[in-house]
Amino acid sequence: MTMIGPSLMCADMGNLKRDVQELDQAGVDFFHIDIMDGSFVPNFTMGPDMVNVIRAATDKPLDIHLMIMRPEEHINLFADAGADMISVHIESTIHLQRVLQTIKSKGIKAGVALNPSTPIESIEYVMDVIDYVTLMTVNPGFAGQKFIPTMYNKIKKLHQLIEKESYNILIQVDGNIGYETIPKVLENGAKMLVCGTSSLFKSKGSLHDAVIHLRQFIEGTAKVKTGD
Ligand code: DX5
Ligand code: ZN
């Protein structure tokens, strides 16, 4: 089943609890929380205190996307703040396998995030320890960017590798995931959609209606694919 994960960096920071509760009640599957340090990416977002606010507002899984240098130094902070899933960028740490083991040792789902130019082959030797892969489909750091077209094939290639080796790994896509890009990312094997300004946080209408409309669109796309 395709999972919808609002990207909370796009939410109304002055009404974060309200937005989270509205999205939760509308039926989203998880919450995607981008953590940025102004060093790994040229932007800042929120920290563990905001994660605590979100944790208190929902029981849905919190997916922490660490876009920070040396993520291994901060796993405890986000684990204690209530993370259910933590992804780290392969480009941000020297000892990827070790930090993934640390995340798993805390009973938290472990993910690896790949920048657009980072090849799939780079995670070959950690596929046995991860639960999901976050494929950046824009350059990380800012909402509102354009999908990078070569990422369609990257999704397909990762999906083929997962299928071939029978790994139990989900593909998450992050960046300009909206009505124009969803059909093809689903067709190529994506399962977890990070939904920001391209799909949920648009200027008009309620968040509730945006979720319902997006879910209907996704289900309609699936029907077309299976020919129902
Ligand atoms: C990129 C961000 C964005 C955001 C989604 O670093 O992670 O992808 O969550 O927002 P849109 O839909 O505007 O790309
Ligand atoms: Zn993200």
Side-chain angles (χ1 to χ4, degrees):
M1 183 263 239
T2 302
M3 288 175 258
I4 294 175
S7 175
L8 291 179
M9 71 176 278
C10 305
D12 175 351
M13 288 298 133
N15 293 286
L16 188 55
K17 183 178 173 186
R18 180 204 66 190
D19 281 6
V20 168
Q21 288 175 331
E22 184 177 348
L23 289 161
D24 183 336
Q25 281 144 30
V28 299
D29 301 291
F30 66 99
F31 287 97
H32 184 82
I33 302 170
D34 287 315
I35 306 296
M36 300 183 188
D37 65 357
S39 173
F40 181 71
V41 290
N43 195 6
F44 296 83
T45 50
M46 57 189 99
D49 291 348
M50 293 290 264
V51 176
N52 277 314
V53 168
I54 298 162
R55 180 72 291 166
T58 180
D59 292 331
K60 296 272 172 76
L62 301 189
D63 164 33
I64 307 291
H65 178 188
L66 294 180
M67 286 184 251
I68 64 175
M69 292 309 290
R70 296 181 309 286
E72 58 275 10
E73 296 174 5
H74 308 290
I75 299 302
N76 287 337
L77 213 48
F78 291 98
D80 294 346
D84 299 289
M85 307 162 60
I86 297 178
S87 64
V88 300
H89 271 267
I90 188 170
E91 308 90 352
S92 69
T93 180
I94 296 174
H95 299 292
L96 177 66
Q97 213 280 348
R98 180 183 291 150
V99 65
L100 293 169
Q101 282 184 336
T102 303
I103 295 169
K104 298 289 279 190
S105 70
K106 297 180 177 306
I108 294 172
K109 290 195 183 306
V112 182
L114 301 182
N115 283 337
S117 65
T118 303
I120 297 292
E121 289 74 11
S122 62
I123 57 173
E124 186 176 350
Y125 297 105
V126 295
M127 297 287 276
D128 60 319
V129 292
I130 57 176
D131 300 289
Y132 64 112
V133 177
T134 298
L135 294 182
M136 291 309 300
T137 44
V138 299
N139 286 303
F142 299 92
Q145 300 178 89
K146 285 312 280 172
F147 189 97
I148 298 168
T150 52
M151 295 301 101
Y152 286 122
N153 274 345
K154 189 173 181 180
I155 297 164
K156 191 173 187 174
K157 189 170 178 181
L158 176 58
H159 182 61
Q160 287 167 345
L161 174 62
I162 292 169
E163 295 287 294
K164 177 167 150 283
E165 303 293 338
S166 305
Y167 286 123
N168 186 17
I169 294 174
L170 293 175
I171 299 176
Q172 178 181 95
V173 286
D174 184 358
N176 192 214
I177 301 303
Y179 291 88
E180 297 74 33
T181 54
I182 284 173
K184 200 161 177 192
V185 302
L186 292 181
E187 184 186 328
N188 287 7
K191 278 281 177 295
M192 299 178 75
L193 306 181
V194 174
C195 300
T197 65
S198 311
S199 47
L200 292 183
F201 298 94
K202 291 179 170 284
S203 46
K204 56 189 181 311
S206 71
L207 288 175
H208 174 272
D209 292 351
V211 173
I212 301 305
H213 185 250
L214 182 61
R215 183 73 76 187
Q216 288 168 348
F217 176 76
I218 291 167
E219 283 163 2
T221 301
K223 284 198 178 72
V224 166
K225 201 174 116 188
T226 53
D228 287 359

